[in-house]
Amino acid sequence: MDYGTYGSRAVELAIDLANAELDPPDGVREFLHAHDEWLSPGTSLELSERDAAALGRTSRLIRAVALAESQDDVLRGLNELLGLARPRPYATDHDGELHLHYARADASLLEQVTTTVAMGLSQVVVQHGWQRLGVCSAEGCDDVYVDTSRNASRRYCSNTCASRSTVAAYRARQKA
Ligand SMILES: [Zn+2]
Ligand SMILES: [Zn+2]
């Protein structure tokens, strides 16, 4: 998905964190390895039990923000998330592409992830509105997403869920 016009690709990390199966230790490790592009080079991917639990709370908080149904509730959750962040941005091209990192290069793993997701999510909400966050309408899927469509018409987390639902609706019509 193209998050390029949505303030920051960091929101992608927030969405992935909200949707991740974070069962320790494997789920946590898998998530961190899949997203190590957001960490300053050399950051250890080992998370203490305590920090893994905090990561789980952050994941649930992002989900709560995406599910919230009023601007007030979104802002409350967002500000709780931002309260956990320790922003100290810097620009880098460590992977060949210019981009921002949001936490100090020597911040702990948890601090880097928490800060990045808080900044990414709040930029999208502030620039494009809280309605841009949603939860998938497909049966059996509760993944959250950021709606990057031009007319904010998105209802599914992915093309897979969208076409699955189209097929299901078609079959239901056939049956009727
Ligand atoms: Zn980077
Ligand atoms: Zn879905």
Side-chain angles (χ1 to χ4, degrees):
M1 181 182 304
D2 178 22
Y3 291 95
T5 54
Y6 281 77
S8 168
R9 281 185 51 242
V11 71
E12 194 175 348
L13 182 67
I15 296 300
D16 287 354
L17 179 58
N19 293 332
E21 307 274 352
L22 290 174
D23 308 319
D26 290 352
V28 172
R29 195 170 301 141
E30 209 173 289
F31 174 81
L32 293 170
H33 275 274
H35 297 87
D36 63 354
E37 71 201 69
W38 284 104
L39 306 167
S40 53
T43 306
S44 157
L45 293 184
E46 291 305 316
L47 213 52
S48 70
E49 218 167 284
R50 193 193 160 128
D51 283 1
L55 189 70
R57 284 196 295 278
T58 300
S59 163
R60 289 192 292 278
L61 191 50
I62 297 166
R63 174 167 290 274
V65 170
L67 289 174
E69 287 179 347
S70 74
Q71 182 161 306
D72 281 352
D73 286 344
V74 168
L75 289 184
R76 203 169 299 127
L78 210 51
N79 283 327
E80 194 178 333
L81 194 59
L82 284 166
L84 302 170
R86 299 281 174 272
R88 220 290 271 143
Y90 65 97
T92 175
D93 61 355
H94 69 90
D95 59 359
E97 213 173 304
L98 265 179
H99 59 287
L100 286 177
H101 278 206
Y102 295 90
R104 292 156 51 116
D106 60 353
S108 75
L109 174 55
L110 178 67
E111 191 174 313
Q112 289 187 49
V113 173
T114 309
T115 303
T116 305
V117 300
M119 297 305 288
L121 197 64
S122 50
Q123 283 184 78
V124 165
V125 169
V126 167
Q127 290 175 16
H128 301 283
W130 62 274
Q131 298 94 334
R132 287 280 172 172
L133 304 173
V135 63
C136 186
S137 307
E139 209 174 309
C141 180
D142 61 357
D143 278 4
V144 298
Y145 61 79
V146 179
D147 186 350
T148 57
S149 66
R150 194 181 301 206
N151 51 0
S153 58
R154 194 167 154 177
R155 293 175 52 219
Y156 302 104
C157 72
S158 60
N159 288 336
T160 314
C161 275
S163 53
R164 200 158 56 81
S165 301
T166 309
V167 170
Y170 175 75
R171 292 219 179 103
R173 274 199 304 276
Q174 296 290 84
K175 241 188 221 167

